[in-house]
Each structure stands twice: as structure tokens, then as C-alpha cells.
């Protein structure tokens, strides 16, 4: 299949942390996700460590052979951690302490002075950098101008049913490809809404977490991943 599925396991840690113990273990679940067909594992080490923690990232990096995509805020602390762990990819996301989840895309155009050196440092460490942005041509052009090789388009507004958002994503994916950016997408994707996103030939990777982990409670993680992959394949053919 030409499109990769990255499984975000943050919410396995949310569940574990609810009881303060070690079960369920995000690393064990990542291995199960890979066994079921995940092409990579995505995890977001937040500033407040509300789900994944530093030791999870270290154990993940030692235990799995598939690519790790580390979602991170544009802070010096996260930059140092990423350069130390050296995941395959780092996706820079906006982060606010009070938000429930990543609410909007990164303001690349407004933060060029901060992001430019950070992209350069991560790239020099051999990490493939992606920027999590809204499908806004200004942001997409700014990402290309800063030399990021990848963007991840925020599908949250589409998932919430915002009118015209699918068209914005399609236009954004076209523009990214024209500018030579590899285009990924994610946030809020489910069995019900994934098909139009997976059908975009410019989108090379989807990162999906909350829905798959929730669905795993009902049908099991391997079945949830297989069904998602099957929908992605059908959308592509
Ligand atoms: N991509 C990015 C950059 C994200 O921040 C998130 C949420 O952590 C996701 C994808 C996955 O979103 P969801 O959990 O809604 O599938």
C-alpha cells in the first residue's frame, strides 16, 4: 500500500496513568499494533507528561523496529530529548497546557525565527521533521520556505464537520506536493471519516490514535488496525 498508517499510542498511557501503575503498557501495545500492520508508532511527549513519559519514549525506542514519530512542542527541552533519542521523525506541534488535545495547527509563518533553527538542528541529527499545520496556503508555503521536508495536515476541523474543510485539505495537499513537501494527515480520523482523506494521492501517511485505541476496547486493537488499513487501501484503489 502506498499510504502508511502511524498508530498513536498516547491514550494507552492515559489509561495506564489513570491508576498510576504499569498496565496497559504502551510499549506492549505498540508491538501489538505493529504485529497488526501499523507502519510506525506515533507518540506525543507533552510538556506536562499527561500521557507518555520520558521512560516510555526510551523503552519504545529500544523495543520497536518500525519508525517512531515523536510529536513535540517547539521547546528547547523537547529539542534536547529528540536529539538524544533520535526518533525516525519528529512532528512539531503547537502545545498549550490547558488544551484537551492539539487544537489547531502550528503557526509556522509567525514563528519562523524559532522554528528555522529547530528544524535545522533536528535535521542535522538525522531526524525527519514534519510540521503539524492547518490546510492554510500561507502556513504550507512557510513550511516549505523553512526547509521542512514534511507537513502533517490537521484534519481536526474536517473531523468535526466544518463546511468546506475537505476541499481546503485537498487544495492544501496539492500545494504541498507542488512545493515538494511530503504530506501526511491526522487528528480525529475514524472509520466513518477516513475515506476521503485516504483517497488523496498526495497524502503519504495517516497518524491515528484516539479512535483506534477506543475501538480496541470494542473489537480489539488488531481488528481495529486491520479495518482502518482496509478502508485506506479501498480509498486508494
Ligand atoms: N497527528 C498529530 C500531530 C496529533 O497531535 C495527534 C493527536 O495527538 C494525532 C495525529 C492523532 O489524533 P487522534 O488521536 O485524534 O487520532
Amino acid at each position: 500500500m502506498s499510504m502508511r498508517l502511524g498508530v498513536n499510542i498516547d491514550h494507552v498511557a492515559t489509561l495506564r496513568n489513570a491508576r498510576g501503575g504499569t498496565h496497559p503498557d504502551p510499549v506492549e501495545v505498540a508491538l501489538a499494533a505493529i504485529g497488526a500492520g501499523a507502519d510506525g508508532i506515533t507518540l506525543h511527549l507533552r510538556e506536562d507528561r499527561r500521557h507518555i513519559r520520558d521512560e516510555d519514549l526510551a523503552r519504545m525506542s529500544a523495543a520497536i523496529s518500525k519508525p517512531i514519530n515523536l510529536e513535540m512542542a517547539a521547546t528547547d527541552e523537547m529539542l534536547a530529548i529528540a536529539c538524544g533519542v533520535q526518533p525516525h521523525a519528529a512532528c512539531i506541534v503547537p502545545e498549550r497546557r490547558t488544551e484537551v488535545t492539539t487544537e489547531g495547527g502550528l503557526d509556522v509563518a509567525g514563528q519562523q525565527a524559532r522554528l528555522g533553527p529547530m528544524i535545522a538542528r533536528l535535521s542535522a541529527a538525522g531526524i525527519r521533521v514534519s510540521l503539524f499545520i492547518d490546510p492554510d496556503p500561507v502556513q504550507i508555503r512557510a513550511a516549505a520556505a523553512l526547509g521542512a521536508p514534511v507537513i502533517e495536515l490537521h484534519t481536526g476541523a474536517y473531523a468535526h464537520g466544518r463546511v468546506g474543510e475537505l476541499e481546503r485539505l485537498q487544495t492544501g495537499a496539492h500545494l504541498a506536493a507542488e512545493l515538494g513537501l511530503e504530506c501526511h494527515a491526522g487528528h480525529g480520523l475514524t472509520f466513518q471519516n477516513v475515506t476521503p482523506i485516504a483517497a488523496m494521492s498526495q497524502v503519504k501517511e495517516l497518524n491515528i490514535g484516539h479512535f483506534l485505541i477506543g475501538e480496541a476496547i470494542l473489537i480489539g486493537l488488531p481488528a481495529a488496525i486491520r479495518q482502518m488499513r482496509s478502508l485506506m487501501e479501498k480509498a486508494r484503489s
Side-chain angles (χ1 to χ4, degrees), residues 136-159:
D136 171 351
V138 171
Q139 300 296 346
I140 296 168
R141 288 186 191 284
L146 284 187
V150 183
I151 57 165
E152 180 168 325
L153 293 178
H154 196 317
T155 51
Y158 158 76

Side-chain angles (χ1 to χ4, degrees), residues 72 78-90 117-129:
M72 53 175 270
M78 288 302 151
L79 177 62
I81 290 172
C83 290
V85 174
Q86 298 203 309
H88 165 77
M118 192 163 274
I119 294 167
R121 285 274 304 281
L122 290 165
S123 301
I127 301 166
R128 195 159 165 80
V129 181

Side-chain angles (χ1 to χ4, degrees), residues 132 152-156 184-189 197 205-208:
F132 187 48
E152 180 168 325
L153 293 178
H154 196 317
T155 51
H184 300 173
H187 212 284
L189 296 177
I197 304 297
E205 178 176 307
L206 298 182
N207 284 300
I208 308 181

Side-chain angles (χ1 to χ4, degrees), residues 6 8 10-11 42-44 46 51 69 71-72 91-94 101-103 130-133 152-156 159 185-190 206-213:
N8 180 314
D10 289 344
H11 295 299
T42 293
L43 69 181
H44 184 179
R46 292 185 75 103
H51 32 63
N69 174 33
E71 294 176 3
M72 53 175 270
C91 179
I92 305 180
V93 301
T101 182
T102 313
E103 282 167 0
S130 88
L131 303 177
F132 187 48
I133 56 177
E152 180 168 325
L153 293 178
H154 196 317
T155 51
H187 212 284
L189 296 177
T190 67
L206 298 182
N207 284 300
I208 308 181
H210 187 268
F211 176 81
L212 287 175
I213 302 305

